[in-house]
Amino acid sequence: MPVANDLLPLRLPPLSLYVHIPWCVRKCPYCDFNSHVATHIAAGAEPSGDQLPEVDYVDQLERDLRSQLPWVHGRKLGSIFFGGGTPSLFSPAAIGRILDLAESLVGFRDGIEITLEANPGTFEQAKFAGYHSAGVNRLSIGVQSFDPLQLQNLGRIHTGPEAEIAATQARSAGFKNINIDLMHGLPGQSQTDALRDLQRAVDLGVEHISWYQLTIEPNTAFYSAPPVTPGSEEIAAIQQAGRAYLAERGYGRYEVSAYSRAGLASLHNLNYWSFADYVGIGAGAHGKFTLPDSGRIIRTQRTRTPRDYLALGCEVGEGGLDFPLPKVADVAVEERPLEFLMNALRLVEGVPAESFSAYTGLPLSALAREWQRLEAMELVVPLASRIATTAFGYDYVDEILQRFLPAG
């Protein structure tokens, strides 16, 4: 493995922006995201009431973004993603202000994709139109299931019909690119049940479906009291039937759990999985930056709790900054092959081979020895043009990645 002084020049990859809105109406029992029940938060006071500190939070987002501008290196944004929590708890005016700030401080590339996550129970038709007018052009609706029993199991606060109405209202408000999130492997769920959920999403005519398996994560209510979920063979049968159903109806699988109509894969997802860069702002937000002048690749993270995030900048930060920089960790040279592959191999088509050297500073020879062994096992395609698995190897990505763990 080359040492830092022997690295190839790094090329600046495309840039995206992630905005974290950390509040939600209720914490779902399966959720391990950085989300907090929506309450009014005042500096130095105990949470109380039902309102959000929307104006103060957007002010902090602006300071956060300004503090990270030196790492942008003049690039414009190719995508923006509002995640959470439930970003649709914020008003269209607040979302519009954030977008105006991002455009004025960083700038937008032509054809920018701007996604807002939302739960069906939080929507009103007037809000849909407001988000669209503010500049949001892609809506991601967290349905999870249309089945009333499963919605109860998952602690959701909407009904199946409300989810269908939300998608219809979004279309009426002008959205031409809509994603629906669905889960499978739910308690007591049969293959028929799972396919019924997919059918209802397809019947709504959405452009993108994120269909992922329920996993029991630490620090969740389900971890403390795990539900009984289908066994591995049942899960495999559900996945096989669901993938075939989506393919028959024109949804191509381009990532582990992402399916889209032709040409409508999420640009933000593609940016993540291509080992490109992204600015992360908001409580608990993560980011990644390439710093060509020093040959460094860094990951950033903000403090997690809304209270602590809102308190940032009350004291002068390090270096005399009015707003402190996020916590920074370098991606070590020996970790870069694995970091790159953990992202790129999630994509069904992989990534161009030349992007490995451009985005890691390492020659392709850093992969070659293990790659040739994997190629002989028909798990990966030849390294000449693309870094990707074969169709057979795509089901063994975890085993492939084990070959690239740093020594020691």
PDB file of all heavy atoms in Angstrom, residues 15-19 59-72 77 98-107 279-282 289 302 309 323:
ATOM      1  N   LEU A  15     -20.442  17.170  -5.741  1.00  0.00           N
ATOM      2  CA  LEU A  15     -20.776  17.584  -4.377  1.00  0.00           C
ATOM      3  C   LEU A  15     -22.288  17.622  -4.191  1.00  0.00           C
ATOM      4  O   LEU A  15     -23.023  18.108  -5.052  1.00  0.00           O
ATOM      5  CB  LEU A  15     -20.196  18.969  -4.094  1.00  0.00           C
ATOM      6  CG  LEU A  15     -20.388  19.526  -2.684  1.00  0.00           C
ATOM      7  CD1 LEU A  15     -19.528  18.757  -1.680  1.00  0.00           C
ATOM      8  CD2 LEU A  15     -20.036  21.023  -2.646  1.00  0.00           C
ATOM      9  N   SER A  16     -22.745  17.109  -3.044  1.00  0.00           N
ATOM     10  CA  SER A  16     -24.152  17.160  -2.650  1.00  0.00           C
ATOM     11  C   SER A  16     -24.267  17.801  -1.272  1.00  0.00           C
ATOM     12  O   SER A  16     -23.257  18.029  -0.588  1.00  0.00           O
ATOM     13  CB  SER A  16     -24.762  15.755  -2.625  1.00  0.00           C
ATOM     14  OG  SER A  16     -24.840  15.198  -3.913  1.00  0.00           O
ATOM     15  N   LEU A  17     -25.492  18.073  -0.872  1.00  0.00           N
ATOM     16  CA  LEU A  17     -25.768  18.646   0.448  1.00  0.00           C
ATOM     17  C   LEU A  17     -26.821  17.803   1.147  1.00  0.00           C
ATOM     18  O   LEU A  17     -27.864  17.490   0.563  1.00  0.00           O
ATOM     19  CB  LEU A  17     -26.281  20.085   0.310  1.00  0.00           C
ATOM     20  CG  LEU A  17     -26.816  20.763   1.589  1.00  0.00           C
ATOM     21  CD1 LEU A  17     -25.714  20.962   2.626  1.00  0.00           C
ATOM     22  CD2 LEU A  17     -27.486  22.100   1.249  1.00  0.00           C
ATOM     23  N   TYR A  18     -26.530  17.430   2.398  1.00  0.00           N
ATOM     24  CA  TYR A  18     -27.510  16.744   3.233  1.00  0.00           C
ATOM     25  C   TYR A  18     -27.902  17.671   4.376  1.00  0.00           C
ATOM     26  O   TYR A  18     -27.030  18.216   5.073  1.00  0.00           O
ATOM     27  CB  TYR A  18     -26.950  15.438   3.804  1.00  0.00           C
ATOM     28  CG  TYR A  18     -27.914  14.787   4.776  1.00  0.00           C
ATOM     29  CD1 TYR A  18     -29.043  14.119   4.311  1.00  0.00           C
ATOM     30  CD2 TYR A  18     -27.734  14.876   6.154  1.00  0.00           C
ATOM     31  CE1 TYR A  18     -29.950  13.546   5.186  1.00  0.00           C
ATOM     32  CE2 TYR A  18     -28.638  14.313   7.041  1.00  0.00           C
ATOM     33  CZ  TYR A  18     -29.746  13.649   6.542  1.00  0.00           C
ATOM     34  OH  TYR A  18     -30.658  13.100   7.415  1.00  0.00           O
ATOM     35  N   VAL A  19     -29.215  17.858   4.578  1.00  0.00           N
ATOM     36  CA  VAL A  19     -29.740  18.725   5.633  1.00  0.00           C
ATOM     37  C   VAL A  19     -30.553  17.855   6.583  1.00  0.00           C
ATOM     38  O   VAL A  19     -31.547  17.242   6.172  1.00  0.00           O
ATOM     39  CB  VAL A  19     -30.634  19.837   5.050  1.00  0.00           C
ATOM     40  CG1 VAL A  19     -31.097  20.771   6.166  1.00  0.00           C
ATOM     41  CG2 VAL A  19     -29.912  20.613   3.956  1.00  0.00           C
ATOM     42  N   ASP A  59     -31.292  29.356  11.280  1.00  0.00           N
ATOM     43  CA  ASP A  59     -30.141  30.245  11.510  1.00  0.00           C
ATOM     44  C   ASP A  59     -28.874  29.434  11.747  1.00  0.00           C
ATOM     45  O   ASP A  59     -27.792  29.768  11.229  1.00  0.00           O
ATOM     46  CB  ASP A  59     -30.407  31.148  12.721  1.00  0.00           C
ATOM     47  CG  ASP A  59     -31.407  32.256  12.440  1.00  0.00           C
ATOM     48  OD1 ASP A  59     -31.674  32.530  11.245  1.00  0.00           O
ATOM     49  OD2 ASP A  59     -31.920  32.844  13.408  1.00  0.00           O
ATOM     50  N   GLN A  60     -28.993  28.360  12.545  1.00  0.00           N
ATOM     51  CA  GLN A  60     -27.829  27.512  12.808  1.00  0.00           C
ATOM     52  C   GLN A  60     -27.380  26.780  11.544  1.00  0.00           C
ATOM     53  O   GLN A  60     -26.177  26.624  11.303  1.00  0.00           O
ATOM     54  CB  GLN A  60     -28.153  26.491  13.903  1.00  0.00           C
ATOM     55  CG  GLN A  60     -28.275  27.072  15.310  1.00  0.00           C
ATOM     56  CD  GLN A  60     -26.952  27.596  15.842  1.00  0.00           C
ATOM     57  OE1 GLN A  60     -26.499  28.673  15.438  1.00  0.00           O
ATOM     58  NE2 GLN A  60     -26.334  26.856  16.738  1.00  0.00           N
ATOM     59  N   LEU A  61     -28.334  26.335  10.743  1.00  0.00           N
ATOM     60  CA  LEU A  61     -27.968  25.680   9.486  1.00  0.00           C
ATOM     61  C   LEU A  61     -27.153  26.607   8.595  1.00  0.00           C
ATOM     62  O   LEU A  61     -26.193  26.185   7.939  1.00  0.00           O
ATOM     63  CB  LEU A  61     -29.224  25.211   8.746  1.00  0.00           C
ATOM     64  CG  LEU A  61     -30.008  24.058   9.372  1.00  0.00           C
ATOM     65  CD1 LEU A  61     -31.286  23.807   8.583  1.00  0.00           C
ATOM     66  CD2 LEU A  61     -29.178  22.791   9.452  1.00  0.00           C
ATOM     67  N   GLU A  62     -27.532  27.874   8.565  1.00  0.00           N
ATOM     68  CA  GLU A  62     -26.766  28.832   7.769  1.00  0.00           C
ATOM     69  C   GLU A  62     -25.341  28.959   8.305  1.00  0.00           C
ATOM     70  O   GLU A  62     -24.369  28.919   7.525  1.00  0.00           O
ATOM     71  CB  GLU A  62     -27.438  30.200   7.777  1.00  0.00           C
ATOM     72  CG  GLU A  62     -26.627  31.246   7.009  1.00  0.00           C
ATOM     73  CD  GLU A  62     -27.260  32.622   6.998  1.00  0.00           C
ATOM     74  OE1 GLU A  62     -28.343  32.800   7.587  1.00  0.00           O
ATOM     75  OE2 GLU A  62     -26.650  33.533   6.390  1.00  0.00           O
ATOM     76  N   ARG A  63     -25.193  29.088   9.622  1.00  0.00           N
ATOM     77  CA  ARG A  63     -23.845  29.193  10.207  1.00  0.00           C
ATOM     78  C   ARG A  63     -23.038  27.922   9.945  1.00  0.00           C
ATOM     79  O   ARG A  63     -21.840  27.976   9.663  1.00  0.00           O
ATOM     80  CB  ARG A  63     -23.958  29.448  11.713  1.00  0.00           C
ATOM     81  CG  ARG A  63     -24.663  30.759  12.071  1.00  0.00           C
ATOM     82  CD  ARG A  63     -24.706  30.962  13.585  1.00  0.00           C
ATOM     83  NE  ARG A  63     -25.512  32.133  13.931  1.00  0.00           N
ATOM     84  CZ  ARG A  63     -26.734  32.067  14.469  1.00  0.00           C
ATOM     85  NH1 ARG A  63     -27.269  30.886  14.751  1.00  0.00           N
ATOM     86  NH2 ARG A  63     -27.416  33.171  14.726  1.00  0.00           N
ATOM     87  N   ASP A  64     -23.716  26.795  10.045  1.00  0.00           N
ATOM     88  CA  ASP A  64     -23.081  25.502   9.802  1.00  0.00           C
ATOM     89  C   ASP A  64     -22.541  25.440   8.368  1.00  0.00           C
ATOM     90  O   ASP A  64     -21.372  25.080   8.134  1.00  0.00           O
ATOM     91  CB  ASP A  64     -24.123  24.400  10.033  1.00  0.00           C
ATOM     92  CG  ASP A  64     -23.512  23.024  10.242  1.00  0.00           C
ATOM     93  OD1 ASP A  64     -22.304  22.848   9.991  1.00  0.00           O
ATOM     94  OD2 ASP A  64     -24.264  22.112  10.652  1.00  0.00           O
ATOM     95  N   LEU A  65     -23.377  25.795   7.417  1.00  0.00           N
ATOM     96  CA  LEU A  65     -22.962  25.750   6.018  1.00  0.00           C
ATOM     97  C   LEU A  65     -21.814  26.718   5.753  1.00  0.00           C
ATOM     98  O   LEU A  65     -20.831  26.375   5.079  1.00  0.00           O
ATOM     99  CB  LEU A  65     -24.156  26.063   5.117  1.00  0.00           C
ATOM    100  CG  LEU A  65     -23.906  26.018   3.602  1.00  0.00           C
ATOM    101  CD1 LEU A  65     -23.359  24.665   3.177  1.00  0.00           C
ATOM    102  CD2 LEU A  65     -25.191  26.346   2.846  1.00  0.00           C
ATOM    103  N   ARG A  66     -21.910  27.917   6.284  1.00  0.00           N
ATOM    104  CA  ARG A  66     -20.836  28.906   6.077  1.00  0.00           C
ATOM    105  C   ARG A  66     -19.505  28.399   6.632  1.00  0.00           C
ATOM    106  O   ARG A  66     -18.447  28.611   6.028  1.00  0.00           O
ATOM    107  CB  ARG A  66     -21.208  30.232   6.738  1.00  0.00           C
ATOM    108  CG  ARG A  66     -22.290  31.027   6.026  1.00  0.00           C
ATOM    109  CD  ARG A  66     -22.530  32.367   6.713  1.00  0.00           C
ATOM    110  NE  ARG A  66     -23.586  33.136   6.080  1.00  0.00           N
ATOM    111  CZ  ARG A  66     -23.424  33.917   5.014  1.00  0.00           C
ATOM    112  NH1 ARG A  66     -22.221  34.038   4.458  1.00  0.00           N
ATOM    113  NH2 ARG A  66     -24.451  34.588   4.508  1.00  0.00           N
ATOM    114  N   SER A  67     -19.557  27.710   7.754  1.00  0.00           N
ATOM    115  CA  SER A  67     -18.311  27.256   8.382  1.00  0.00           C
ATOM    116  C   SER A  67     -17.588  26.219   7.519  1.00  0.00           C
ATOM    117  O   SER A  67     -16.366  26.056   7.624  1.00  0.00           O
ATOM    118  CB  SER A  67     -18.601  26.668   9.772  1.00  0.00           C
ATOM    119  OG  SER A  67     -19.191  25.381   9.689  1.00  0.00           O
ATOM    120  N   GLN A  68     -18.336  25.503   6.661  1.00  0.00           N
ATOM    121  CA  GLN A  68     -17.741  24.439   5.860  1.00  0.00           C
ATOM    122  C   GLN A  68     -17.436  24.852   4.418  1.00  0.00           C
ATOM    123  O   GLN A  68     -16.949  24.040   3.629  1.00  0.00           O
ATOM    124  CB  GLN A  68     -18.669  23.214   5.865  1.00  0.00           C
ATOM    125  CG  GLN A  68     -18.908  22.663   7.281  1.00  0.00           C
ATOM    126  CD  GLN A  68     -19.761  21.415   7.285  1.00  0.00           C
ATOM    127  OE1 GLN A  68     -19.410  20.409   6.678  1.00  0.00           O
ATOM    128  NE2 GLN A  68     -20.895  21.472   7.974  1.00  0.00           N
ATOM    129  N   LEU A  69     -17.692  26.106   4.083  1.00  0.00           N
ATOM    130  CA  LEU A  69     -17.464  26.568   2.717  1.00  0.00           C
ATOM    131  C   LEU A  69     -16.025  26.393   2.227  1.00  0.00           C
ATOM    132  O   LEU A  69     -15.815  26.118   1.035  1.00  0.00           O
ATOM    133  CB  LEU A  69     -17.896  28.026   2.573  1.00  0.00           C
ATOM    134  CG  LEU A  69     -19.410  28.292   2.621  1.00  0.00           C
ATOM    135  CD1 LEU A  69     -19.688  29.780   2.496  1.00  0.00           C
ATOM    136  CD2 LEU A  69     -20.136  27.514   1.531  1.00  0.00           C
ATOM    137  N   PRO A  70     -14.997  26.537   3.091  1.00  0.00           N
ATOM    138  CA  PRO A  70     -13.623  26.338   2.579  1.00  0.00           C
ATOM    139  C   PRO A  70     -13.383  24.944   1.997  1.00  0.00           C
ATOM    140  O   PRO A  70     -12.483  24.765   1.184  1.00  0.00           O
ATOM    141  CB  PRO A  70     -12.753  26.579   3.818  1.00  0.00           C
ATOM    142  CG  PRO A  70     -13.566  27.508   4.667  1.00  0.00           C
ATOM    143  CD  PRO A  70     -14.986  27.065   4.473  1.00  0.00           C
ATOM    144  N   TRP A  71     -14.189  23.951   2.408  1.00  0.00           N
ATOM    145  CA  TRP A  71     -14.017  22.589   1.892  1.00  0.00           C
ATOM    146  C   TRP A  71     -14.777  22.359   0.579  1.00  0.00           C
ATOM    147  O   TRP A  71     -14.630  21.303  -0.032  1.00  0.00           O
ATOM    148  CB  TRP A  71     -14.497  21.573   2.931  1.00  0.00           C
ATOM    149  CG  TRP A  71     -13.654  21.550   4.172  1.00  0.00           C
ATOM    150  CD1 TRP A  71     -12.313  21.796   4.266  1.00  0.00           C
ATOM    151  CD2 TRP A  71     -14.087  21.251   5.506  1.00  0.00           C
ATOM    152  NE1 TRP A  71     -11.885  21.667   5.567  1.00  0.00           N
ATOM    153  CE2 TRP A  71     -12.953  21.334   6.354  1.00  0.00           C
ATOM    154  CE3 TRP A  71     -15.320  20.917   6.076  1.00  0.00           C
ATOM    155  CZ2 TRP A  71     -13.022  21.089   7.722  1.00  0.00           C
ATOM    156  CZ3 TRP A  71     -15.389  20.679   7.438  1.00  0.00           C
ATOM    157  CH2 TRP A  71     -14.250  20.765   8.258  1.00  0.00           C
ATOM    158  N   VAL A  72     -15.588  23.327   0.181  1.00  0.00           N
ATOM    159  CA  VAL A  72     -16.391  23.166  -1.027  1.00  0.00           C
ATOM    160  C   VAL A  72     -15.550  23.292  -2.293  1.00  0.00           C
ATOM    161  O   VAL A  72     -15.819  22.655  -3.309  1.00  0.00           O
ATOM    162  CB  VAL A  72     -17.541  24.196  -1.025  1.00  0.00           C
ATOM    163  CG1 VAL A  72     -18.223  24.283  -2.381  1.00  0.00           C
ATOM    164  CG2 VAL A  72     -18.559  23.850   0.068  1.00  0.00           C
ATOM    165  N   LEU A  77     -23.671  22.411  -6.197  1.00  0.00           N
ATOM    166  CA  LEU A  77     -24.384  21.239  -5.695  1.00  0.00           C
ATOM    167  C   LEU A  77     -25.150  20.543  -6.811  1.00  0.00           C
ATOM    168  O   LEU A  77     -25.876  21.181  -7.574  1.00  0.00           O
ATOM    169  CB  LEU A  77     -25.357  21.647  -4.584  1.00  0.00           C
ATOM    170  CG  LEU A  77     -24.727  22.264  -3.329  1.00  0.00           C
ATOM    171  CD1 LEU A  77     -25.806  22.865  -2.436  1.00  0.00           C
ATOM    172  CD2 LEU A  77     -23.921  21.213  -2.571  1.00  0.00           C
ATOM    173  N   ILE A  98     -33.784  27.721   3.431  1.00  0.00           N
ATOM    174  CA  ILE A  98     -32.581  26.880   3.394  1.00  0.00           C
ATOM    175  C   ILE A  98     -32.078  26.733   1.959  1.00  0.00           C
ATOM    176  O   ILE A  98     -30.878  26.824   1.683  1.00  0.00           O
ATOM    177  CB  ILE A  98     -32.880  25.503   4.018  1.00  0.00           C
ATOM    178  CG1 ILE A  98     -33.226  25.648   5.502  1.00  0.00           C
ATOM    179  CG2 ILE A  98     -31.682  24.559   3.855  1.00  0.00           C
ATOM    180  CD1 ILE A  98     -33.852  24.410   6.119  1.00  0.00           C
ATOM    181  N   LEU A  99     -32.997  26.517   1.035  1.00  0.00           N
ATOM    182  CA  LEU A  99     -32.607  26.369  -0.367  1.00  0.00           C
ATOM    183  C   LEU A  99     -32.018  27.666  -0.922  1.00  0.00           C
ATOM    184  O   LEU A  99     -31.042  27.640  -1.683  1.00  0.00           O
ATOM    185  CB  LEU A  99     -33.806  25.926  -1.200  1.00  0.00           C
ATOM    186  CG  LEU A  99     -34.306  24.502  -0.928  1.00  0.00           C
ATOM    187  CD1 LEU A  99     -35.535  24.194  -1.771  1.00  0.00           C
ATOM    188  CD2 LEU A  99     -33.216  23.479  -1.190  1.00  0.00           C
ATOM    189  N   ASP A 100     -32.595  28.789  -0.541  1.00  0.00           N
ATOM    190  CA  ASP A 100     -32.044  30.070  -0.990  1.00  0.00           C
ATOM    191  C   ASP A 100     -30.620  30.258  -0.473  1.00  0.00           C
ATOM    192  O   ASP A 100     -29.738  30.743  -1.203  1.00  0.00           O
ATOM    193  CB  ASP A 100     -32.929  31.228  -0.503  1.00  0.00           C
ATOM    194  CG  ASP A 100     -34.266  31.301  -1.235  1.00  0.00           C
ATOM    195  OD1 ASP A 100     -34.385  30.670  -2.311  1.00  0.00           O
ATOM    196  OD2 ASP A 100     -35.181  31.970  -0.730  1.00  0.00           O
ATOM    197  N   LEU A 101     -30.399  29.876   0.777  1.00  0.00           N
ATOM    198  CA  LEU A 101     -29.053  29.983   1.349  1.00  0.00           C
ATOM    199  C   LEU A 101     -28.077  29.080   0.613  1.00  0.00           C
ATOM    200  O   LEU A 101     -26.953  29.485   0.295  1.00  0.00           O
ATOM    201  CB  LEU A 101     -29.094  29.616   2.837  1.00  0.00           C
ATOM    202  CG  LEU A 101     -29.757  30.620   3.773  1.00  0.00           C
ATOM    203  CD1 LEU A 101     -30.000  29.989   5.138  1.00  0.00           C
ATOM    204  CD2 LEU A 101     -28.888  31.874   3.913  1.00  0.00           C
ATOM    205  N   ALA A 102     -28.497  27.843   0.349  1.00  0.00           N
ATOM    206  CA  ALA A 102     -27.609  26.903  -0.342  1.00  0.00           C
ATOM    207  C   ALA A 102     -27.267  27.406  -1.742  1.00  0.00           C
ATOM    208  O   ALA A 102     -26.115  27.299  -2.185  1.00  0.00           O
ATOM    209  CB  ALA A 102     -28.276  25.532  -0.421  1.00  0.00           C
ATOM    210  N   GLU A 103     -28.236  27.987  -2.410  1.00  0.00           N
ATOM    211  CA  GLU A 103     -27.979  28.473  -3.772  1.00  0.00           C
ATOM    212  C   GLU A 103     -27.061  29.689  -3.764  1.00  0.00           C
ATOM    213  O   GLU A 103     -26.155  29.805  -4.599  1.00  0.00           O
ATOM    214  CB  GLU A 103     -29.289  28.807  -4.477  1.00  0.00           C
ATOM    215  CG  GLU A 103     -29.090  29.200  -5.933  1.00  0.00           C
ATOM    216  CD  GLU A 103     -30.383  29.291  -6.703  1.00  0.00           C
ATOM    217  OE1 GLU A 103     -31.448  29.469  -6.071  1.00  0.00           O
ATOM    218  OE2 GLU A 103     -30.345  29.192  -7.946  1.00  0.00           O
ATOM    219  N   SER A 104     -27.265  30.581  -2.795  1.00  0.00           N
ATOM    220  CA  SER A 104     -26.452  31.799  -2.761  1.00  0.00           C
ATOM    221  C   SER A 104     -25.039  31.531  -2.246  1.00  0.00           C
ATOM    222  O   SER A 104     -24.074  32.138  -2.729  1.00  0.00           O
ATOM    223  CB  SER A 104     -27.129  32.866  -1.900  1.00  0.00           C
ATOM    224  OG  SER A 104     -27.242  32.441  -0.552  1.00  0.00           O
ATOM    225  N   LEU A 105     -24.892  30.611  -1.287  1.00  0.00           N
ATOM    226  CA  LEU A 105     -23.580  30.361  -0.687  1.00  0.00           C
ATOM    227  C   LEU A 105     -22.741  29.360  -1.483  1.00  0.00           C
ATOM    228  O   LEU A 105     -21.512  29.457  -1.503  1.00  0.00           O
ATOM    229  CB  LEU A 105     -23.753  29.854   0.748  1.00  0.00           C
ATOM    230  CG  LEU A 105     -24.337  30.841   1.758  1.00  0.00           C
ATOM    231  CD1 LEU A 105     -24.566  30.155   3.103  1.00  0.00           C
ATOM    232  CD2 LEU A 105     -23.422  32.043   1.930  1.00  0.00           C
ATOM    233  N   VAL A 106     -23.394  28.387  -2.118  1.00  0.00           N
ATOM    234  CA  VAL A 106     -22.668  27.334  -2.828  1.00  0.00           C
ATOM    235  C   VAL A 106     -22.978  27.357  -4.322  1.00  0.00           C
ATOM    236  O   VAL A 106     -22.074  27.330  -5.154  1.00  0.00           O
ATOM    237  CB  VAL A 106     -22.990  25.943  -2.236  1.00  0.00           C
ATOM    238  CG1 VAL A 106     -22.145  24.870  -2.929  1.00  0.00           C
ATOM    239  CG2 VAL A 106     -22.739  25.908  -0.733  1.00  0.00           C
ATOM    240  N   GLY A 107     -24.244  27.401  -4.662  1.00  0.00           N
ATOM    241  CA  GLY A 107     -24.659  27.390  -6.058  1.00  0.00           C
ATOM    242  C   GLY A 107     -25.193  26.035  -6.483  1.00  0.00           C
ATOM    243  O   GLY A 107     -24.855  25.000  -5.890  1.00  0.00           O
ATOM    244  N   VAL A 279     -21.727  17.781   1.777  1.00  0.00           N
ATOM    245  CA  VAL A 279     -21.754  18.623   2.962  1.00  0.00           C
ATOM    246  C   VAL A 279     -22.899  18.132   3.835  1.00  0.00           C
ATOM    247  O   VAL A 279     -24.004  17.918   3.346  1.00  0.00           O
ATOM    248  CB  VAL A 279     -21.994  20.100   2.592  1.00  0.00           C
ATOM    249  CG1 VAL A 279     -21.834  20.987   3.835  1.00  0.00           C
ATOM    250  CG2 VAL A 279     -21.083  20.555   1.477  1.00  0.00           C
ATOM    251  N   GLY A 280     -22.651  17.954   5.127  1.00  0.00           N
ATOM    252  CA  GLY A 280     -23.708  17.572   6.049  1.00  0.00           C
ATOM    253  C   GLY A 280     -23.933  18.675   7.061  1.00  0.00           C
ATOM    254  O   GLY A 280     -22.995  19.076   7.761  1.00  0.00           O
ATOM    255  N   ILE A 281     -25.156  19.212   7.117  1.00  0.00           N
ATOM    256  CA  ILE A 281     -25.468  20.253   8.091  1.00  0.00           C
ATOM    257  C   ILE A 281     -26.697  19.837   8.893  1.00  0.00           C
ATOM    258  O   ILE A 281     -27.560  19.125   8.412  1.00  0.00           O
ATOM    259  CB  ILE A 281     -25.695  21.638   7.431  1.00  0.00           C
ATOM    260  CG1 ILE A 281     -26.863  21.605   6.438  1.00  0.00           C
ATOM    261  CG2 ILE A 281     -24.433  22.118   6.754  1.00  0.00           C
ATOM    262  CD1 ILE A 281     -27.238  22.978   5.883  1.00  0.00           C
ATOM    263  N   GLY A 282     -26.743  20.276  10.150  1.00  0.00           N
ATOM    264  CA  GLY A 282     -27.828  19.927  11.048  1.00  0.00           C
ATOM    265  C   GLY A 282     -27.358  18.997  12.149  1.00  0.00           C
ATOM    266  O   GLY A 282     -26.251  18.447  12.098  1.00  0.00           O
ATOM    267  N   PHE A 289     -15.435  15.078   2.583  1.00  0.00           N
ATOM    268  CA  PHE A 289     -14.775  16.048   1.724  1.00  0.00           C
ATOM    269  C   PHE A 289     -13.436  15.507   1.232  1.00  0.00           C
ATOM    270  O   PHE A 289     -12.707  14.843   1.975  1.00  0.00           O
ATOM    271  CB  PHE A 289     -14.505  17.359   2.472  1.00  0.00           C
ATOM    272  CG  PHE A 289     -15.747  18.142   2.816  1.00  0.00           C
ATOM    273  CD1 PHE A 289     -16.299  18.048   4.081  1.00  0.00           C
ATOM    274  CD2 PHE A 289     -16.347  18.971   1.878  1.00  0.00           C
ATOM    275  CE1 PHE A 289     -17.429  18.767   4.419  1.00  0.00           C
ATOM    276  CE2 PHE A 289     -17.478  19.693   2.212  1.00  0.00           C
ATOM    277  CZ  PHE A 289     -18.028  19.594   3.475  1.00  0.00           C
ATOM    278  N   ARG A 302     -21.525  16.384  13.048  1.00  0.00           N
ATOM    279  CA  ARG A 302     -22.012  17.367  13.992  1.00  0.00           C
ATOM    280  C   ARG A 302     -22.541  16.701  15.256  1.00  0.00           C
ATOM    281  O   ARG A 302     -22.918  15.516  15.242  1.00  0.00           O
ATOM    282  CB  ARG A 302     -23.142  18.192  13.358  1.00  0.00           C
ATOM    283  CG  ARG A 302     -22.679  19.309  12.436  1.00  0.00           C
ATOM    284  CD  ARG A 302     -21.938  20.369  13.204  1.00  0.00           C
ATOM    285  NE  ARG A 302     -21.489  21.461  12.339  1.00  0.00           N
ATOM    286  CZ  ARG A 302     -20.573  22.330  12.690  1.00  0.00           C
ATOM    287  NH1 ARG A 302     -19.968  22.236  13.874  1.00  0.00           N
ATOM    288  NH2 ARG A 302     -20.232  23.303  11.875  1.00  0.00           N
ATOM    289  N   TYR A 309     -26.890  21.172  19.405  1.00  0.00           N
ATOM    290  CA  TYR A 309     -26.660  21.808  18.102  1.00  0.00           C
ATOM    291  C   TYR A 309     -27.082  23.282  18.137  1.00  0.00           C
ATOM    292  O   TYR A 309     -26.362  24.156  17.638  1.00  0.00           O
ATOM    293  CB  TYR A 309     -27.430  21.065  17.012  1.00  0.00           C
ATOM    294  CG  TYR A 309     -27.192  21.625  15.626  1.00  0.00           C
ATOM    295  CD1 TYR A 309     -26.019  21.346  14.932  1.00  0.00           C
ATOM    296  CD2 TYR A 309     -28.149  22.432  15.004  1.00  0.00           C
ATOM    297  CE1 TYR A 309     -25.791  21.863  13.664  1.00  0.00           C
ATOM    298  CE2 TYR A 309     -27.936  22.947  13.740  1.00  0.00           C
ATOM    299  CZ  TYR A 309     -26.754  22.664  13.076  1.00  0.00           C
ATOM    300  OH  TYR A 309     -26.534  23.192  11.818  1.00  0.00           O
ATOM    301  N   PHE A 323     -18.521  30.083  14.527  1.00  0.00           N
ATOM    302  CA  PHE A 323     -19.232  28.818  14.569  1.00  0.00           C
ATOM    303  C   PHE A 323     -18.197  27.708  14.440  1.00  0.00           C
ATOM    304  O   PHE A 323     -17.436  27.683  13.472  1.00  0.00           O
ATOM    305  CB  PHE A 323     -20.249  28.740  13.428  1.00  0.00           C
ATOM    306  CG  PHE A 323     -21.328  27.704  13.650  1.00  0.00           C
ATOM    307  CD1 PHE A 323     -22.408  27.978  14.469  1.00  0.00           C
ATOM    308  CD2 PHE A 323     -21.255  26.462  13.045  1.00  0.00           C
ATOM    309  CE1 PHE A 323     -23.406  27.037  14.676  1.00  0.00           C
ATOM    310  CE2 PHE A 323     -22.241  25.516  13.245  1.00  0.00           C
ATOM    311  CZ  PHE A 323     -23.321  25.804  14.066  1.00  0.00           C
TER     312      PHE A 323
END
